[in-house]
Amino acid sequence: TDRKKLHTAPAGQVFRLRPFHVLVATGGGYAGYRKYEDYKSEQLEKRGIEVPVKLASEWEVALYKSVPTRLLSRAWGRLNQVELPTWLRKPVYSLYIWTFGVNMKEAAVEDLHHYRNLSEFFRRKLKPQARPVCCVHSVISPSDGKILNFGQVKNCEVEQVKGVTYSLESFLGPRICTEELHFSQAPLGNSFQQQLVTKEGNELYHCVIYLAPGDYHCFHSPTDWRVSHRRHFPGSLMSVNPGVARWIKELFCHNERVVLTGDWKHGFFSLTAVGATNVGSIRIYFDQDLHTNSPRYSKGSYNDFSFISNNNKEGIPMRKGEHLGEFNLGSTIVLIFEAPKDFKFHLKAGQKIRFGEALGSL
């Protein structure tokens, strides 16, 4: 009689699951499974065994997109800005350096105690001579990373990795008025791809660079050009690592991205920064009005901003190698540009590249 009575809630209340919890658990579990499959594919590739392309079905893409990656990325961004105690900084950053193979000897500040939070560490600057800019070639790599694909754009389709494509028009969005792009000639064709080519004898080229978490996270101008227009696509924040890019068709069209459009000496030129999981923040240094992964923007829309005004007829001039923007962790840069037919890439698919090294030239 002296024992305390135990009051238990009905089993239905204890194990009640809400739709949100089901989505997170199911989507997160499936994302983990996909990560494991990607790891196995990477191991086979390292052994020289070609992995057949297996695209995700519509329900698999829908399931992946059900994971609240935008919310999780905002939470990750908040966590990254929390100031770490001085005694904790070296162990935390050392673990990250060991996990992702970061070369701190290139950093402008090698002392790990200098970085107050993870965000500052991710956005660390390099020593002035760590990345010499190639002056011989006309287009250089805007960032450190891995070359996923490159070549000519064909049939309005661009390869994100070998064998997996996305629509050029879906990726860039509707064509921008030629008055903003300083084009002196009318478009030569009717297709979206032909409308971007402004000079007879030119072709449209592309290059995709994947930035891993251990890479230098800033990106720079790949050539001398003028930025006339910015288009921001709010979207999902799915992983963009090569395994997922090989699995989901039009992955880059699903994800949040910032498209900078303008022209260089050979015509049309664009650089697109594609967001990814935990990389909701994309910053363009000269664009203070840009706010990515914001709850006020809904998926499926886009926001335009023109750098051409009555006071500025030229847009934003960028010099080759000049600082352009940054990611908060690592993601993907896509270059799409017009050039003469004798333009040659100096690349191999899958190779590692560093900012300042040559991509191609005439």
Side-chain angles (χ1 to χ4, degrees), residues 130-298:
R131 297 288 188 276
V133 175
C134 177
C135 299
V136 177
H137 300 280
S138 53
V139 183
I140 62 168
S141 176
S143 66
D144 289 6
K146 178 181 180 180
I147 301 296
L148 295 189
N149 216 307
F150 63 92
Q152 284 189 20
V153 177
K154 298 179 180 179
N155 302 320
C156 294
E157 292 280 326
V158 185
E159 283 193 318
Q160 57 193 30
V161 292
K162 185 178 180 180
V164 182
T165 63
Y166 56 93
S167 163
L168 180 65
E169 186 169 7
S170 297
F171 182 69
L172 295 178
R175 188 167 174 272
I176 301 161
C177 177
T178 56
E179 292 179 1
E180 294 186 14
L181 300 180
H182 303 276
F183 293 157
S184 58
Q185 298 183 24
L188 300 175
N190 296 322
S191 72
F192 185 82
Q193 178 179 337
Q194 291 172 325
Q195 290 175 16
L196 296 180
V197 177
T198 62
K199 299 178 182 178
E200 188 174 356
N202 281 4
E203 297 287 349
L204 207 60
Y205 297 86
H206 74 99
C207 182
V208 183
I209 305 170
Y210 167 69
L211 289 74
D215 288 328
Y216 168 57
H217 297 137
C218 296
F219 51 93
H220 301 246
S221 176
T223 192
D224 296 334
W225 64 307
R226 293 177 293 187
V227 184
S228 304
H229 188 272
R230 178 259 292 163
R231 177 169 285 161
H232 170 217
F233 290 86
S236 300
L237 289 171
M238 296 184 283
S239 172
V240 293
N241 75 55
V244 177
R246 190 181 297 110
W247 178 54
I248 298 180
K249 183 179 174 64
E250 298 203 334
L251 171 64
F252 298 156
C253 297
H254 290 297
N255 271 17
E256 181 143 2
R257 59 198 182 279
V258 177
V259 182
L260 299 179
T261 308
D263 65 299
W264 69 321
K265 60 183 178 181
H266 299 296
F268 174 82
F269 199 97
S270 73
L271 179 148
T272 302
V274 183
T277 307
N278 295 336
V279 197
S281 175
I282 302 171
R283 183 183 173 193
I284 305 298
Y285 294 138
F286 58 75
D287 189 354
Q288 301 302 317
D289 296 322
L290 176 65
H291 300 285
T292 57
N293 195 20
S294 172
R296 65 180 174 176
Y297 298 128
S298 58

